[in-house]
Amino acid sequence: MSYEFIKTEKRGNILLVTMNRPEVYNAVHVDMHNEMADCWDNFAADQDLWVAVLTGAGDKAFTAGNDLKATAAGGSKAKMTSTGFAGLSSRFDLEKPIIAAVNGFAMGGGFETALSCDIILASENAKFALPEVKVGFFAAASGVQRLSRYIGRLAAQEMMYTGRTISAAEALQMGCVNEVHPHDELMAKAMEKAEQLCTVSPSAVKATKRVMNDFAKRDGMADSIAYSSEVIVDLAMTEDFKEGVQAFVEKRAPKWVNK
């Protein structure tokens, strides 16, 4: 698999995927979403690949989330994948586990990407937030649904309504990461976890995740994520939405008008 915006490497039964736009903190635009969707399709189809590890290039960011500068500039003419942010957030047919190795900050869609994985390991330097409200968006790529299920509705609401950032230690305490490791040990620990998953039956793991995927759909997550997509279309028509993006690009405080 060869891509422009991500790197992939096979290590036995493990696929290592690296989001590779370090110059923009691995922010994701339409073409990168589509590359990642294709990567997960190939991962699903490869009988010799049992587990994936997802991380970001560089030492600062897992991913900064949505590339707002690309959004403001009109972005690519390509159609966005139907499988959601990073090809993952709206995907409920992938039966192989993905480990997120969060090596730096995971903001907005970056946090949603991590939450869309099955196991989340974090560097002690990692930071997490759903700060979309600060730029006129909301966490429409499954953040509302997943974070509220993982840490409870009250804690999730406070994070999503304020857009505040939490440390890796607080994320562990709240229950939205599985483990926190020293920064220079993170990838070794992630590969160790992947190797551990390779010691059990891959067929049994796939069957377990199949049930987990079905449970998420029966629980209404898939429908709720689809509804988020409808709401973001309405939000995009507001003056506040346009102001949030423009203020971000111009590096100034937004002037909200509540309409």
Side-chain angles (χ1 to χ4, degrees), residues 143-214:
V144 172
Q145 294 80 10
R146 287 191 162 95
L147 190 64
S148 60
R149 283 163 170 77
Y150 290 167
I151 69 173
R153 181 166 175 166
L154 280 177
Q157 285 173 170
E158 187 269 340
M159 279 191 67
M160 291 185 293
Y161 294 170
T162 64
R164 76 179 181 91
T165 299
I166 61 173
S167 66
E170 187 173 359
L172 181 64
Q173 182 182 33
M174 294 175 79
C176 48
V177 305
N178 295 90
E179 300 172 9
V180 175
H181 296 287
H183 184 73
D184 59 359
E185 297 178 14
L186 175 65
M187 290 310 299
K189 293 294 185 181
M191 295 305 294
E192 190 177 294
K193 183 68 70 175
E195 292 285 3
Q196 182 183 357
L197 290 178
C198 288
T199 66
V200 300
S201 163
S203 298
V205 171
K206 286 167 63 179
T208 303
K209 187 167 178 180
R210 188 183 311 156
V211 175
M212 293 298 295
N213 286 340
D214 179 72

Side-chain angles (χ1 to χ4, degrees), residues 221-233:
M221 185 185 291
D223 288 341
S224 184
I225 294 170
Y227 180 60
S228 289
S229 298
E230 296 177 22
V231 174
I232 202 75
V233 170

Side-chain angles (χ1 to χ4, degrees), residues 30-239:
V30 171
D31 292 335
M32 187 171 168
H33 286 303
N34 293 341
E35 284 192 358
M36 295 185 76
D38 183 73
C39 172
W40 302 130
D41 287 343
N42 290 326
F43 169 60
D46 192 329
Q47 283 288 106
D48 295 327
L49 290 174
W50 300 356
V51 183
V53 174
L54 175 64
T55 194
D59 288 328
K60 294 184 178 180
F62 177 67
T63 165
N66 183 28
D67 188 338
L68 288 179
K69 289 185 178 179
T71 299
S76 170
K77 301 302 181 184
K79 184 178 179 181
M80 169 77 173
T81 173
S82 63
T83 52
F85 204 97
L88 279 178
S89 64
S90 297
R91 184 186 293 263
F92 293 95
D93 60 355
L94 181 58
E95 297 177 357
K96 298 178 182 181
I98 302 174
I99 299 167
V102 182
N103 54 309
F105 57 80
M107 299 293 170
F111 192 11
E112 291 172 300
T113 298
L115 291 170
S116 299
C117 296
D118 301 282
I119 297 171
I120 306 174
L121 307 187
S123 158
E124 61 191 352
N125 298 340
K127 295 186 182 301
F128 302 86
L130 293 175
E132 286 89 343
V133 292
K134 294 182 177 182
V135 291
F137 289 66
F138 75 97
S142 81
V144 172
Q145 294 80 10
R146 287 191 162 95
L147 190 64
S148 60
R149 283 163 170 77
Y150 290 167
I151 69 173
R153 181 166 175 166
L154 280 177
Q157 285 173 170
E158 187 269 340
M159 279 191 67
M160 291 185 293
Y161 294 170
T162 64
R164 76 179 181 91
T165 299
I166 61 173
S167 66
E170 187 173 359
L172 181 64
Q173 182 182 33
M174 294 175 79
C176 48
V177 305
N178 295 90
E179 300 172 9
V180 175
H181 296 287
H183 184 73
D184 59 359
E185 297 178 14
L186 175 65
M187 290 310 299
K189 293 294 185 181
M191 295 305 294
E192 190 177 294
K193 183 68 70 175
E195 292 285 3
Q196 182 183 357
L197 290 178
C198 288
T199 66
V200 300
S201 163
S203 298
V205 171
K206 286 167 63 179
T208 303
K209 187 167 178 180
R210 188 183 311 156
V211 175
M212 293 298 295
N213 286 340
D214 179 72
F215 175 68
K217 288 188 284 187
R218 290 173 187 264
D219 191 37
M221 185 185 291
D223 288 341
S224 184
I225 294 170
Y227 180 60
S228 289
S229 298
E230 296 177 22
V231 174
I232 202 75
V233 170
D234 291 338
L235 181 61
M237 302 301 292
T238 66
E239 292 181 30

